[in-house]
Amino acid sequence: MTHAPSHGRAVPAAAYTASAPGRFASSELTRGPWDPAHQHAGPPIALVCREIEAAAASHGLGHMARLTANLLRPVPIGELTVEVKADYVGRNAGHFSAQLSAGGKEIARFTALAQRESPLELPDTLPGHPLPMAPRAPEDSPPAHFPFAGKNVGYADFVETRLAQGAMWQGPCAVWFRMRHPLVAGEAPSLYARVAVAADSGNGISAVLDYERFLFVNSDLTVNLLRKPVGEWICLEARTALGSDGGGLAESALYDARGFIGRATQSLAVRKR
């Protein structure tokens, strides 16, 4: 696990520390760009993903095919509680739901589809295959930096980013993400948690508006994955489209080092600050 340069600041060892089953203390590494008291949505979504993965694994379901987060309120940097429920589990797939709470309030609701993994031999020639690769490999991509990096310890310290195509915060672009610190202290993050930490950044890296003058916050995130990701690096090839009534949509094609793995979408509320 690599670590971020601290610029003279004390940086926590992990995004969260487990205090009891389903309860977690948040660190400053989760801080987002919109309000210094609120988390970037990537880390808490990944935290809930971790809990859903554990519930699904108990039923022999190893692939997280879809994760949807409905973000009801800003996530405070504090104590969080995660509760997971199996809504229906069949032979090959299971539907799960989860709640994220803080300070006695429900902060976010989640649904997920987990599938049983089964080896499948595919024909050598399929339309649209082999699946596309990211524009550039992470080792061939230069470092990239969030415009809010360095102001406070936060998400920009939590992840390492490299530019595969375009320019961050200037429209369509592709960026590799790698976690610099554990999600939960004392354990390696899961492959799906690595995707979740990055996927919520699509609206940021492909922003077409100045974040100091406008808010373009997402109230949801849906990630669909066709297979289990591999490796530490996840690439988002993202673009933002804005409507004339304060709405918007950010879409990201997701890649690992082996190629295309799925898509992420975010519904945006666009306002002047």
Side-chain angles (χ1 to χ4, degrees):
M1 186 74 64
T2 60
H3 293 275
S6 65
H7 304 292
R9 300 164 301 167
V11 177
Y16 302 99
T17 301
S19 55
R23 296 183 67 86
F24 303 89
S26 310
S27 81
E28 291 179 301
L29 285 173
T30 64
R31 178 179 285 120
W34 305 116
D35 188 302
H38 297 157
Q39 298 190 34
H40 185 288
I45 291 173
L47 183 68
V48 175
C49 178
R50 170 189 181 271
E51 297 293 287
I52 295 174
E53 281 186 78
S58 69
H59 296 279
L61 305 175
H63 173 52
M64 187 73 67
R66 179 187 56 78
L67 177 67
T68 296
N70 292 306
L71 306 171
L72 309 181
R73 297 179 174 88
V75 182
I77 301 176
E79 187 84 7
L80 301 180
T81 300
V82 182
E83 298 180 68
V84 178
K85 182 175 68 172
D87 297 322
Y88 173 80
V89 178
R91 178 176 298 177
N92 295 310
H95 294 266
F96 297 84
S97 57
Q99 288 183 321
L100 178 68
S101 302
K105 293 182 179 180
E106 185 180 17
I107 302 299
R109 297 179 184 178
F110 297 76
T111 60
L113 170 65
Q115 295 175 331
R116 191 175 306 280
E117 295 175 291
S118 178
L120 177 65
E121 186 174 344
L122 296 172
D124 292 335
T125 304
L126 289 175
H129 290 67
L131 295 173
M133 302 291 290
R136 275 189 295 189
E139 57 269 21
D140 299 326
S141 302
H145 303 286
F146 291 101
F148 52 84
K151 295 181 180 179
N152 296 292
V153 173
Y155 182 78
D157 299 283
F158 185 46
V159 295
E160 177 184 358
T161 48
R162 296 186 183 181
L163 189 64
Q165 189 176 69
M168 287 179 66
W169 295 71
Q170 296 181 39
C173 68
V175 177
W176 287 99
F177 287 74
R178 178 168 67 174
M179 295 170 63
R180 286 179 164 130
H181 302 269
L183 180 68
V184 176
E187 65 180 54
S190 75
L191 297 167
Y192 294 104
R194 293 182 185 277
V195 174
V197 161
D200 190 68
S201 290
N203 64 319
I205 63 171
S206 68
V208 293
L209 294 171
D210 181 353
Y211 91 101
E212 292 186 337
R213 296 177 54 216
F214 293 89
L215 297 171
F216 36 92
V217 181
N218 59 301
S219 297
D220 68 353
L221 171 70
T222 294
V223 177
N224 291 95
L225 297 174
L226 57 91
R227 63 166 170 84
K228 180 175 287 184
V230 297
E232 293 184 332
W233 288 100
I234 299 297
C235 182
L236 274 62
E237 188 175 20
R239 65 178 56 245
T240 291
L242 301 180
S244 58
D245 56 358
L249 174 67
E251 301 176 276
S252 300
L254 306 175
Y255 303 85
D256 62 13
R258 293 182 184 174
F260 179 74
I261 58 172
R263 294 193 181 276
T265 58
Q266 300 163 287
S267 302
L268 309 182
V270 185
R271 303 288 186 271
K272 286 187 176 181
R273 283 187 180 270

